[in-house]
Coordinates of all heavy atoms in Angstrom, one line a residue:
M5 N -49.7 -74.7 -7.3 CA -50.1 -74.2 -6.0 C -49.8 -72.7 -5.9 O -48.9 -72.2 -6.5 CB -49.4 -74.9 -4.8 CG -49.5 -76.4 -4.8 SD -51.2 -76.9 -4.2 CE -50.9 -76.9 -2.4
A6 N -50.7 -72.0 -5.2 CA -50.5 -70.6 -5.0 C -50.8 -70.2 -3.6 O -51.5 -70.9 -2.9 CB -51.4 -69.8 -5.9
I7 N -50.1 -69.2 -3.1 CA -50.3 -68.7 -1.7 C -51.5 -67.7 -1.8 O -51.6 -66.9 -2.7 CB -49.1 -67.9 -1.2 CG1 -47.8 -68.8 -1.4 CG2 -49.3 -67.4 0.2 CD1 -47.6 -69.8 -0.3
Y8 N -52.4 -67.9 -0.8 CA -53.6 -67.0 -0.8 C -53.7 -66.3 0.5 O -53.3 -66.8 1.6 CB -54.9 -67.9 -1.0 CG -55.1 -68.4 -2.4 CD1 -54.5 -69.6 -2.8 CD2 -55.8 -67.6 -3.3 CE1 -54.7 -70.0 -4.1 CE2 -56.0 -68.1 -4.6 CZ -55.4 -69.3 -5.0 OH -55.6 -69.7 -6.3
Y9 N -54.3 -65.1 0.4 CA -54.6 -64.3 1.6 C -56.1 -63.8 1.5 O -56.6 -63.7 0.4 CB -53.7 -63.0 1.6 CG -52.3 -63.3 1.9 CD1 -51.4 -63.6 0.8 CD2 -51.8 -63.2 3.2 CE1 -50.0 -63.8 1.1 CE2 -50.4 -63.4 3.4 CZ -49.6 -63.7 2.4 OH -48.2 -63.9 2.6
V10 N -56.6 -63.5 2.6 CA -58.0 -62.9 2.6 C -57.8 -61.5 3.2 O -57.1 -61.3 4.2 CB -59.0 -63.8 3.4 CG1 -58.7 -64.0 4.8 CG2 -60.4 -63.2 3.2
N11 N -58.6 -60.6 2.7 CA -58.6 -59.2 3.2 C -59.4 -59.2 4.5 O -60.6 -59.7 4.5 CB -59.2 -58.3 2.2 CG -59.0 -56.8 2.5 OD1 -58.8 -56.5 3.7 ND2 -59.1 -56.0 1.5
T12 N -58.8 -58.7 5.6 CA -59.5 -58.7 6.9 C -60.5 -57.6 6.9 O -61.4 -57.5 7.8 CB -58.5 -58.6 8.1 OG1 -57.7 -57.4 7.9 CG2 -57.6 -59.8 8.1
E13 N -60.4 -56.6 6.0 CA -61.4 -55.5 5.9 C -62.4 -55.9 4.8 O -62.0 -56.2 3.7 CB -60.6 -54.3 5.5 CG -59.5 -54.0 6.4 CD -59.6 -52.6 7.0 OE1 -59.6 -51.6 6.3 OE2 -59.6 -52.5 8.3
A14 N -63.6 -55.8 5.1 CA -64.7 -56.1 4.1 C -64.8 -55.0 3.1 O -64.5 -53.8 3.4 CB -66.0 -56.3 4.9
Q15 N -65.2 -55.3 1.9 CA -65.5 -54.4 0.9 C -66.9 -53.7 1.3 O -67.5 -54.1 2.2 CB -65.7 -55.1 -0.5 CG -64.6 -55.9 -0.9 CD -63.3 -55.1 -1.1 OE1 -62.3 -55.2 -0.3 NE2 -63.3 -54.1 -2.0
S16 N -67.3 -52.7 0.5 CA -68.5 -52.0 0.9 C -69.7 -52.9 0.9 O -70.7 -52.7 1.5 CB -68.7 -50.8 0.0 OG -68.7 -51.2 -1.4
N17 N -69.7 -54.0 0.1 CA -70.8 -54.9 0.0 C -70.7 -56.0 1.1 O -71.5 -57.0 1.1 CB -70.9 -55.5 -1.4 CG -69.7 -56.4 -1.8 OD1 -68.8 -56.6 -1.0 ND2 -69.7 -56.9 -3.0
G18 N -69.7 -56.0 1.9 CA -69.5 -57.0 3.0 C -68.6 -58.1 2.6 O -68.3 -59.0 3.5
D19 N -68.2 -58.2 1.4 CA -67.3 -59.3 1.0 C -65.9 -59.1 1.5 O -65.3 -58.0 1.5 CB -67.2 -59.4 -0.6 CG -68.4 -60.0 -1.2 OD1 -69.3 -60.5 -0.5 OD2 -68.4 -60.0 -2.5
H20 N -65.3 -60.3 1.9 CA -63.9 -60.3 2.2 C -63.2 -60.9 1.0 O -63.4 -62.1 0.7 CB -63.6 -61.1 3.5 CG -64.0 -60.4 4.7 ND1 -63.2 -59.7 5.5 CD2 -65.2 -60.3 5.3 CE1 -63.8 -59.1 6.5 NE2 -65.1 -59.5 6.4
E21 N -62.4 -60.2 0.3 CA -61.8 -60.7 -0.9 C -60.6 -61.6 -0.7 O -59.7 -61.3 0.2 CB -61.3 -59.5 -1.8 CG -62.5 -58.8 -2.4 CD -62.1 -57.8 -3.5 OE1 -61.0 -57.1 -3.3 OE2 -62.8 -57.6 -4.5
V22 N -60.5 -62.6 -1.5 CA -59.4 -63.6 -1.4 C -58.5 -63.3 -2.6 O -58.9 -63.2 -3.7 CB -60.0 -65.0 -1.5 CG1 -58.8 -66.1 -1.5 CG2 -60.9 -65.3 -0.3
H23 N -57.2 -63.2 -2.2 CA -56.2 -62.8 -3.2 C -55.0 -63.8 -3.3 O -54.7 -64.4 -2.2 CB -55.5 -61.5 -2.9 CG -56.5 -60.3 -2.9 ND1 -56.8 -59.6 -4.1 CD2 -57.2 -59.8 -1.9 CE1 -57.7 -58.7 -3.8 NE2 -58.0 -58.7 -2.5
K24 N -54.4 -63.9 -4.4 CA -53.2 -64.6 -4.5 C -52.1 -63.7 -4.0 O -52.2 -62.5 -4.1 CB -52.9 -65.0 -6.0 CG -53.8 -66.1 -6.5 CD -53.4 -66.5 -7.9 CE -54.4 -67.5 -8.5 NZ -54.2 -67.8 -9.9
S25 N -50.9 -64.3 -3.6 CA -49.9 -63.5 -3.0 C -49.3 -62.5 -4.0 O -48.7 -61.5 -3.6 CB -48.8 -64.4 -2.5 OG -48.3 -65.2 -3.5
D26 N -49.4 -62.7 -5.3 CA -48.8 -61.8 -6.3 C -49.8 -60.9 -6.9 O -49.5 -60.2 -7.9 CB -48.1 -62.6 -7.4 CG -49.0 -63.5 -8.2 OD1 -50.2 -63.7 -7.7 OD2 -48.6 -64.1 -9.2
C27 N -51.0 -60.8 -6.3 CA -52.0 -59.9 -6.9 C -51.7 -58.4 -6.6 O -51.2 -58.1 -5.6 CB -53.4 -60.2 -6.2 SG -54.7 -59.1 -6.8
E28 N -52.0 -57.6 -7.6 CA -51.7 -56.2 -7.4 C -52.6 -55.5 -6.4 O -52.3 -54.4 -5.9 CB -51.8 -55.4 -8.8 CG -53.1 -55.5 -9.4 CD -53.2 -54.7 -10.7 OE1 -52.9 -53.5 -10.7 OE2 -53.6 -55.2 -11.7
F29 N -53.7 -56.2 -6.1 CA -54.7 -55.6 -5.1 C -54.5 -56.3 -3.7 O -55.4 -56.1 -2.9 CB -56.1 -55.8 -5.6 CG -56.3 -55.1 -6.9 CD1 -56.6 -55.8 -8.1 CD2 -56.3 -53.7 -6.9 CE1 -56.8 -55.1 -9.3 CE2 -56.5 -53.0 -8.1 CZ -56.8 -53.7 -9.3
L30 N -53.4 -57.1 -3.6 CA -53.2 -57.7 -2.2 C -53.1 -56.6 -1.2 O -52.4 -55.6 -1.3 CB -51.8 -58.4 -2.3 CG -51.5 -59.2 -1.1 CD1 -52.4 -60.4 -0.9 CD2 -50.0 -59.7 -1.2
P31 N -53.9 -56.8 -0.1 CA -53.9 -55.7 1.0 C -52.6 -55.6 1.7 O -51.8 -56.6 1.6 CB -55.0 -56.2 1.9 CG -55.8 -57.3 1.2 CD -54.8 -57.9 0.2
N32 N -52.4 -54.5 2.4 CA -51.2 -54.4 3.2 C -51.2 -55.5 4.3 O -52.2 -56.1 4.6 CB -51.3 -53.0 3.9 CG -51.1 -51.9 3.0 OD1 -50.5 -52.0 1.9 ND2 -51.7 -50.7 3.3
E33 N -50.0 -55.7 4.8 CA -49.7 -56.8 5.7 C -50.7 -56.8 6.9 O -51.2 -57.8 7.4 CB -48.3 -56.7 6.2 CG -47.7 -58.1 6.6 CD -46.2 -58.0 6.8 OE1 -45.6 -57.1 6.2 OE2 -45.7 -58.9 7.5
E34 N -51.0 -55.5 7.4 CA -51.9 -55.4 8.6 C -53.3 -55.7 8.2 O -54.1 -55.8 9.1 CB -51.7 -54.1 9.3 CG -52.0 -52.9 8.4 CD -50.8 -52.3 7.7 OE1 -49.9 -53.1 7.4 OE2 -50.8 -51.1 7.4
N35 N -53.7 -55.7 7.0 CA -55.1 -55.9 6.6 C -55.3 -57.2 5.8 O -56.3 -57.3 5.1 CB -55.5 -54.7 5.7 CG -55.5 -53.4 6.4 OD1 -55.8 -53.3 7.6 ND2 -55.2 -52.3 5.7
R36 N -54.4 -58.2 6.1 CA -54.7 -59.4 5.4 C -54.4 -60.6 6.3 O -53.6 -60.4 7.3 CB -53.8 -59.5 4.1 CG -52.3 -59.7 4.4 CD -51.5 -59.5 3.2 NE -50.1 -59.8 3.4 CZ -49.1 -59.3 2.8 NH1 -49.3 -58.5 1.8 NH2 -47.8 -59.7 3.1
L37 N -55.0 -61.7 6.0 CA -54.8 -62.9 6.8 C -54.3 -64.0 5.9 O -54.8 -64.3 4.8 CB -56.1 -63.3 7.5 CG -56.1 -64.6 8.3 CD1 -55.3 -64.4 9.6 CD2 -57.6 -65.0 8.6
F38 N -53.2 -64.6 6.3 CA -52.6 -65.7 5.5 C -53.5 -67.0 5.6 O -53.9 -67.4 6.6 CB -51.2 -66.1 6.1 CG -50.5 -67.2 5.4 CD1 -50.0 -67.1 4.2 CD2 -50.4 -68.4 6.1 CE1 -49.3 -68.1 3.5 CE2 -49.8 -69.5 5.5 CZ -49.2 -69.3 4.2
L39 N -53.9 -67.5 4.4 CA -54.7 -68.6 4.3 C -53.9 -69.9 4.1 O -54.3 -71.0 4.7 CB -55.7 -68.5 3.2 CG -56.8 -67.4 3.4 CD1 -57.6 -67.2 2.1 CD2 -57.7 -67.7 4.6
G40 N -52.9 -69.8 3.3 CA -52.1 -71.0 3.0 C -51.9 -71.2 1.6 O -52.2 -70.3 0.8
S41 N -51.4 -72.3 1.2 CA -51.2 -72.6 -0.2 C -52.2 -73.6 -0.7 O -52.5 -74.6 -0.1 CB -49.7 -73.1 -0.2 OG -49.5 -74.0 -1.2
F42 N -52.9 -73.2 -1.8 CA -53.9 -74.1 -2.4 C -53.7 -74.3 -3.9 O -53.1 -73.4 -4.5 CB -55.3 -73.4 -2.2 CG -55.7 -73.2 -0.7 CD1 -55.4 -72.0 0.0 CD2 -56.3 -74.2 0.0 CE1 -55.7 -71.9 1.3 CE2 -56.7 -74.0 1.3 CZ -56.4 -72.9 2.0
S43 N -54.2 -75.3 -4.4 CA -54.1 -75.6 -5.8 C -55.1 -74.9 -6.7 O -55.0 -74.8 -7.9 CB -54.2 -77.1 -6.1 OG -55.4 -77.6 -5.6
N44 N -56.2 -74.4 -6.0 CA -57.2 -73.6 -6.7 C -57.9 -72.6 -5.8 O -57.8 -72.8 -4.6 CB -58.2 -74.5 -7.4 CG -59.0 -75.3 -6.3 OD1 -59.9 -74.7 -5.7 ND2 -58.7 -76.5 -6.1
C45 N -58.5 -71.6 -6.4 CA -59.1 -70.5 -5.6 C -60.3 -71.0 -4.8 O -60.7 -70.4 -3.8 CB -59.3 -69.3 -6.4 SG -60.5 -69.6 -7.8
H46 N -61.0 -72.0 -5.3 CA -62.2 -72.5 -4.7 C -61.9 -73.0 -3.3 O -62.6 -72.7 -2.3 CB -62.9 -73.6 -5.5 CG -63.4 -73.1 -6.8 ND1 -64.5 -72.4 -6.9 CD2 -62.9 -73.3 -8.0 CE1 -64.7 -72.1 -8.2 NE2 -63.7 -72.6 -8.9
D47 N -60.8 -73.7 -3.1 CA -60.4 -74.2 -1.8 C -59.9 -73.1 -0.9 O -60.2 -73.1 0.3 CB -59.2 -75.2 -2.0 CG -59.7 -76.6 -2.5 OD1 -60.9 -76.8 -2.6 OD2 -58.8 -77.4 -2.9
A48 N -59.3 -72.1 -1.6 CA -58.9 -70.9 -0.8 C -60.0 -70.1 -0.2 O -60.1 -69.7 0.9 CB -58.0 -70.0 -1.7
V49 N -61.1 -69.9 -1.1 CA -62.3 -69.2 -0.6 C -63.0 -70.0 0.5 O -63.4 -69.4 1.5 CB -63.2 -68.9 -1.8 CG1 -64.6 -68.4 -1.3 CG2 -62.6 -67.9 -2.8
Q50 N -63.0 -71.3 0.3 CA -63.6 -72.2 1.4 C -62.8 -72.0 2.7 O -63.5 -71.9 3.7 CB -63.5 -73.6 0.9 CG -64.5 -74.5 1.6 CD -66.0 -74.0 1.4 OE1 -66.4 -73.6 0.3 NE2 -66.7 -74.0 2.5
G51 N -61.5 -71.9 2.6 CA -60.7 -71.7 3.8 C -61.0 -70.3 4.4 O -61.0 -70.2 5.6
A52 N -61.1 -69.4 3.6 CA -61.4 -68.0 4.0 C -62.7 -67.9 4.8 O -62.9 -67.2 5.7 CB -61.4 -67.0 2.9
K53 N -63.7 -68.7 4.3 CA -65.0 -68.7 4.9 C -65.0 -69.2 6.4 O -65.9 -68.9 7.1 CB -66.0 -69.5 4.1 CG -66.4 -68.7 2.8 CD -67.4 -69.5 2.0 CE -67.8 -68.6 0.8 NZ -68.7 -69.4 -0.1
E54 N -64.0 -69.9 6.8 CA -63.9 -70.3 8.2 C -63.6 -69.1 9.0 O -63.9 -69.1 10.2 CB -62.8 -71.3 8.3 CG -63.1 -72.7 7.7 CD -61.9 -73.7 7.7 OE1 -61.0 -73.4 8.6 OE2 -62.0 -74.6 7.0
H55 N -63.0 -68.0 8.4 CA -62.8 -66.8 9.2 C -63.8 -65.8 8.9 O -64.3 -65.1 9.8 CB -61.4 -66.2 8.8 CG -60.3 -67.2 9.0 ND1 -59.7 -67.4 10.2 CD2 -59.6 -68.0 8.1 CE1 -58.7 -68.4 10.0 NE2 -58.7 -68.7 8.8
F56 N -64.2 -65.6 7.6 CA -65.2 -64.6 7.2 C -66.2 -65.3 6.3 O -65.9 -65.6 5.2 CB -64.5 -63.5 6.5 CG -63.4 -62.8 7.2 CD1 -62.1 -63.0 6.9 CD2 -63.7 -62.0 8.3 CE1 -61.0 -62.4 7.6 CE2 -62.6 -61.4 9.0 CZ -61.3 -61.6 8.6
P57 N -67.4 -65.6 6.9 CA -68.4 -66.3 6.1 C -68.7 -65.7 4.8 O -69.0 -66.4 3.8 CB -69.6 -66.3 7.0 CG -69.1 -66.2 8.4 CD -67.9 -65.3 8.3
Q58 N -68.6 -64.4 4.7 CA -68.9 -63.7 3.4 C -67.5 -63.4 2.7 O -67.1 -62.3 2.7 CB -69.7 -62.5 3.6 CG -70.2 -61.9 2.3 CD -71.2 -60.7 2.5 OE1 -71.8 -60.6 3.6 NE2 -71.2 -59.8 1.5
S59 N -66.9 -64.5 2.1 CA -65.7 -64.3 1.4 C -65.9 -64.5 -0.1 O -66.8 -65.3 -0.4 CB -64.6 -65.3 1.9 OG -64.3 -65.0 3.2
N60 N -65.1 -63.9 -0.9 CA -65.3 -63.9 -2.3 C -64.0 -63.8 -3.0 O -63.1 -63.1 -2.5 CB -66.3 -62.8 -2.7 CG -66.8 -63.0 -4.1 OD1 -66.6 -64.0 -4.8 ND2 -67.6 -62.0 -4.6
G61 N -63.8 -64.5 -4.2 CA -62.6 -64.4 -4.9 C -62.4 -63.0 -5.5 O -63.4 -62.4 -5.9
C62 N -61.2 -62.6 -5.6 CA -60.9 -61.3 -6.2 C -61.1 -61.3 -7.7 O -60.7 -62.3 -8.3 CB -59.4 -61.0 -5.9 SG -58.7 -59.7 -6.9
A63 N -61.7 -60.3 -8.2 CA -62.1 -60.3 -9.6 C -60.8 -60.2 -10.5 O -60.8 -60.7 -11.7 CB -63.0 -59.1 -10.0
A64 N -59.7 -59.7 -10.0 CA -58.5 -59.5 -10.8 C -57.7 -60.8 -10.8 O -57.3 -61.3 -11.9 CB -57.7 -58.4 -10.2
C65 N -57.4 -61.4 -9.6 CA -56.5 -62.6 -9.6 C -57.2 -63.9 -9.6 O -56.6 -64.9 -9.8 CB -55.5 -62.4 -8.4 SG -56.3 -62.6 -6.8
S66 N -58.5 -63.9 -9.2 CA -59.2 -65.2 -9.0 C -60.6 -65.0 -9.6 O -61.6 -65.3 -9.0 CB -59.3 -65.6 -7.6 OG -58.0 -65.6 -7.0
P67 N -60.7 -64.6 -10.9 CA -62.0 -64.3 -11.5 C -62.9 -65.5 -11.5 O -64.2 -65.4 -11.4 CB -61.7 -63.8 -12.9 CG -60.3 -64.3 -13.2 CD -59.6 -64.4 -11.9
E68 N -62.3 -66.7 -11.6 CA -63.2 -67.9 -11.6 C -63.9 -68.2 -10.3 O -64.8 -69.0 -10.2 CB -62.4 -69.2 -12.1 CG -61.3 -69.6 -11.2 CD -59.9 -69.0 -11.4 OE1 -59.9 -67.7 -11.8 OE2 -58.9 -69.6 -11.3
C69 N -63.4 -67.5 -9.2 CA -64.0 -67.6 -7.9 C -64.8 -66.4 -7.5 O -65.2 -66.3 -6.4 CB -63.0 -68.0 -6.9 SG -62.3 -69.6 -7.1
H70 N -64.9 -65.4 -8.4 CA -65.5 -64.2 -8.1 C -67.0 -64.3 -8.4 O -67.4 -64.6 -9.6 CB -64.9 -63.0 -8.9 CG -65.5 -61.7 -8.6 ND1 -65.4 -61.0 -7.5 CD2 -66.4 -61.0 -9.4 CE1 -66.1 -59.9 -7.6 NE2 -66.7 -59.9 -8.7
T71 N -67.8 -64.0 -7.5 CA -69.3 -63.8 -7.8 C -69.7 -62.4 -7.4 O -69.2 -61.9 -6.4 CB -70.1 -64.9 -7.0 OG1 -69.8 -64.7 -5.6 CG2 -69.8 -66.3 -7.3
S72 N -70.6 -61.9 -8.2 CA -71.0 -60.5 -7.9 C -72.4 -60.5 -7.4 O -73.1 -61.5 -7.4 CB -70.8 -59.6 -9.1 OG -71.5 -60.3 -10.2
Ligands
ZN107 ZN1 -56.6 -60.3 -6.1

């Protein structure tokens, strides 16, 4: 299991990136929303979509959930 967060600020393409808690690109505390603990990034992105419909896995920490 890993702890996941979603960036509350969209990227320039409108994506809200989903990160693991230990990602080097994890946003600052004020710019992230705690999603919870998931066994895989697919479930985490699904959870993020309840807050931000356009959510996407981070290319660095969750490449298997990243779509470009
Ligand atoms: Zn990341």
Side-chain angles (χ1 to χ4, degrees):
M5 301 286 273
I7 306 277
Y8 287 88
Y9 291 87
V10 61
N11 193 334
T12 57
E13 307 234 300
Q15 304 302 112
S16 54
N17 66 1
D19 281 355
H20 288 264
E21 287 190 321
V22 174
H23 298 274
K24 290 182 183 175
S25 59
D26 59 353
C27 179
E28 61 177 306
F29 299 111
L30 185 68
N32 292 331
E33 208 167 338
E34 62 268 28
N35 293 329
R36 70 193 187 203
L37 178 68
F38 177 74
L39 292 172
S41 145
F42 297 93
S43 58
N44 64 76
C45 60
H46 295 284
D47 288 348
V49 170
Q50 204 54 47
K53 285 181 175 174
E54 291 175 17
H55 304 280
F56 304 107
Q58 192 175 334
S59 294
N60 195 5
C62 165
C65 67
S66 306
E68 67 271 37
C69 292
H70 176 76
T71 57
S72 50

